[in-house]
Amino acid sequence: MRTPRDLDAIIVGAGHNGLVAGCYLARSGLKVLVLERQPYIGGAAVSRQLYENFTYSNCSYVCSLLRPEIIRTLELPKYGLQVIPYEGGVTMMQGGGHLANYDNHDALRREIARHSTRDAEAYDRYARDVMRQCKFIKPLLMREPPDPTSFKPRDIQELLYLGRRFHGLGEERMYDTLRFWTMSAADFLDEYFESEIVKAHFAGSSIIGTALGPRSPGTAYVLLHHYMGDIDDTVGAWGFARGGMGSITKALGASFEASGGTIRSAAPVAKILVRNGRASGVALAGGEEIHAPLVISNLDVRRTFLETMDSKDLPDEFLRQVKNFKIRGSSGKLNIALDGMPRFPAIPEGSPSIRGDMHVTDTIEMMEHAYDDWKDGRWSRAPYIDMLIPSQIDPTMVPDGKHYMSVFVQYCPYELADGPWDAAKRRAFGDTVIDTIAQHSPNFKELILHAEIRTPWDIENEVGLTEGNIFQGELTMDQLLFNRPVPGYAQYRAPVRGVYMCGSSTHPGGGVMGAPGANAARAVLRDLGRAN
Amino acid sequence: MTESLAPHFKQPLLKTPFHERARALSQIDSFVPWAGYTTVDVFSTMEQEYFSIRNATTLYDLTPMVKYRVSGPEAMPYLNRLVTRDVAKLRPDRVAYCVWCNDAGHLIDDGTIFRMGESDYRICTAERQIDWLLDSAIGFDVQIVEVTEQIAALAVQGPTSCAVLKTMGLWGVEKLKPFEIGYFMLGAHPLTVSRTGFTGDLGYELWMEPGAALGLWDALMEAGRSRGIRAIGSQALNVARIEAGFLLPNVDFVSAEHTIRTGRDRSPLELGLGWLVDFNKGHFTGRRALLQEKTQGPRRQLVGLDIAGNKPAHNALLYTDDSGKREIGSVTSAIWSPTCKRNIALAIVDAPHFQIGSTVWAEIYLNRELVWERRMSRAQVVERPFFAPERRRATPPAEF
């Protein structure tokens, strides 16, 4: 691949946010180069064939948060992106029995009523309150967070917007918002539900990707973060990208190249170069230097500033804050090729819930115990798993009759108490997960053709996410909005002129959303006087 | 047994105890979901079904209405705290139309309260809300149980309905006054009859155990054969209820338990239901907020509109004048009234335009063979109900 000359901007990392930023910049006429360390693009949104004729979404695995305005503006459908919503979802109980999720309101009410009539009706209040908060937050996703300490007209204007929206919620909901953003998922769910299984079912999304337990303050927001997405205006709906999550970044890559951008893969950036206090380009691991006045990093903030920049180029206090940025590894992943469809006796024949996300943690207590293991530096002996079989819906991923299972595992530490990860420990971690599933599926083990086991350490090494944290940093109130990634630097601009951040470490955070990339591109263009 | 055989994830909607008969009479397979049941929208033609309400006798399956039994020593004080009306005044064997609100004075729901015994009440309402009812019961010695599936319900409405019930053998039914409850036997089955309804016409609602449902249906059809009895669906009933000025949840208002956006909650005062709010009965949920609203005057109100022309003003926006510049509300329910021969609607209108006699303008879109036309029609704020025949109240009722 030839590296173009007279570049306007270099983007470090071909994850979805890097590519989104690249697309917007290229469409505004900038000459942009995206550099990727791996021989393939995508970052954590990839489709990979690690076993013959099986395609794995081997990192991120479901899609909901990708903003529709990005899909539309960047013409991703034209480049092959198709997101298919799935219905269902189920939590299997320890002694048999289950709680399923159904799209049909009456089916869902009757399902929850099997466990608690009251909860079945409280669900409407729960859904209403979650929806109210999503309605408040959603418009903030695609905006640069205002700096509350600044007197710049733009910041004041944005603060006023935020204030007006907040005030527009009405008295009662303003209280709720503050409570929602700070309380624990367990406390939050207690305000609605009485049944343990119902609470456990909804609590799952409050811990996915975080190094917090369901009883930790701040997890109610994480739950909300997972509801913020929508598919075709159905808020909270999740779907599969046809062909795996890689088809998102594949479409972004194609859209980027169609706008004149260049991608160079297998080109790891070793250093962001700074000359006379401003960005001048990057140096690749092999020594090659590529120059451009703008460098936009899709890497998480820790990796960007502590590993890819010279600390002498950065202010001390900023560096200290970056060092303190919470980005802990807490999740692992198994990708499994199956010879056929596993049976789950707890799920009734014909229930569509099996086509959604499946869980086996039936109490908050159990979830919290899983977290206790993580705190002690070992993987959960009874992990929370988010398990899906996308090949039931997506015909492109496996040979006919076979199945692909994606198993997200919470919790798994980046560093073990008894020393570094090795092959035997990785296998033992995988066995824990497989045994957990096999407790609910008698024929599961015999169907396994291949399993890829990924610890946080593996995810860091392959994808580059510090500690393998899927959100590029915890989604807690102290690291959200104008405090994300660190106070004073929430507007995508680094302390060095010409250096920008566009990864999920920035507002509005992780999930395959694309909003940080789009917002960062807007900040770059505004600085260039090309505001769109 | 109302439970259908297929699991709920294959067949989410239940069948009412009358389903077998409804299915047999349905000519056009027009069924709609209602509160978890599948119910008939139209049997044959909406017009014929509607005119049966105003001319003869109609059967309407209202089993899906959500029913709660409220009993226990403190049932009355509990209900008096829950609803805005004074339930202490409700005598045994009487029914009262009520609304209940949250602390902010916003409507949770409306419904009827039946006093079935000294300390035994039944709430009959549109939406499931055990969550709210139980939260409101904290500190009261009261039991609240949903009994929807245990009670089949059939509305028998129309000018000949009393005659049909008498023919069927309900001796003395003619003595029931409006909102009164009577107890009868039909063969071996007990039958509760209340002189209530949603049509604004003479009519009764019959309550029985599900096992008695089909027998009752057949007996009614037999007794009403010579008086033009007919089963009706929800569409025909909707026309009658708009003429009678009755509100429909999720059409004319959204329960405060379900609103997502601010400003979508409605108070009883805004819905023109101020007459249901008794500030002199002591504390009730929402009292303080409603008192404040009463002092300040409501910001908007649900009113009846009489609109020029003959095209129903479905979903029409309302303006101060025909320039359509200043928006002051919108229509929630609209029909051409076949009885009154008037183009009528229920609408939410901002202050001060909701006074009786005010003129507003409705923006109506007409589909004329796929060509859309926009028309600004003059509309007048008028008294509700639009149609209230004397026969609805006469006791004993006339034979037709």
Side-chain angles (χ1 to χ4, degrees), chain A residues 102 104 106-107 109-111 118 121-122 124-125 128 131-132 135 168-170 173 348-352, chain B residues 3 8-14 35-36 68 128-131 134-135 146 256-262 265:
Chain A
Y102 295 113
N104 181 282
D106 289 306
R109 178 175 53 76
R110 289 172 61 193
E111 173 68 12
R118 184 169 187 175
E121 295 175 32
D124 288 343
R125 185 164 55 94
R128 173 199 71 179
M131 193 72 115
R132 282 177 177 175
K135 269 225 146 356
L169 281 169
R173 301 173 199 184
E349 189 68 36
S351 167
Chain B
E3 194 76 24
H8 56 288
F9 51 84
K10 286 190 177 157
Q11 219 174 75
L13 298 176
L14 299 172
Y68 296 100
R128 283 190 172 72
Q129 48 199 295
I130 195 79
D131 186 42
L134 290 176
D135 274 350
E146 189 187 335
E257 282 287 88
H258 297 157
T259 52
I260 309 284
R261 296 164 180 83
T262 42
D265 299 338

Side-chain angles (χ1 to χ4, degrees), chain A residues 435-487:
Chain A
D435 288 343
T436 303
I437 299 168
Q439 280 168 25
H440 298 270
S441 175
N443 68 336
F444 174 65
K445 279 189 184 177
E446 68 206 47
L447 293 173
I448 299 175
L449 298 171
H450 170 259
E452 181 200 17
I453 301 157
R454 315 181 83 199
T455 69
W457 189 88
D458 298 316
I459 295 171
E460 180 186 76
N461 275 277
E462 187 182 311
V463 187
L465 295 165
T466 297
E467 290 206 12
N469 181 297
I470 66 166
F471 292 134
Q472 280 204 355
E474 291 291 332
L475 296 173
T476 47
M477 194 61 191
D478 58 317
Q479 300 195 152
L480 286 176
L481 271 174
F482 42 75
N483 284 331
R484 190 168 185 90
V486 299

Side-chain angles (χ1 to χ4, degrees), chain B residues 45-66:
Chain B
T45 75
M46 193 275 273
E47 290 73 18
Q48 289 302 317
E49 289 165 31
Y50 163 79
F51 278 108
S52 293
I53 301 174
R54 298 284 183 235
N55 175 52
T57 293
T58 55
L59 298 186
Y60 180 73
D61 180 0
L62 62 134
T63 305
M65 287 295 284
V66 181

Side-chain angles (χ1 to χ4, degrees), chain A residues 244-256:
Chain A
M245 292 298 281
S247 47
I248 294 173
T249 43
K250 198 173 146 199
L252 282 167
S255 172
F256 175 61

Side-chain angles (χ1 to χ4, degrees), chain A residues 325-362:
Chain A
F325 183 70
K326 288 181 296 176
I327 179 163
R328 304 181 190 120
S330 62
S331 12
K333 178 90 194 280
L334 264 67
N335 294 296
I336 304 170
L338 294 169
D339 203 17
M341 186 64 192
R343 276 183 294 111
F344 295 94
I347 304 174
E349 189 68 36
S351 167
S353 62
I354 199 166
R355 293 200 287 271
D357 41 335
M358 295 183 275
H359 313 274
V360 298
T361 307
D362 62 359

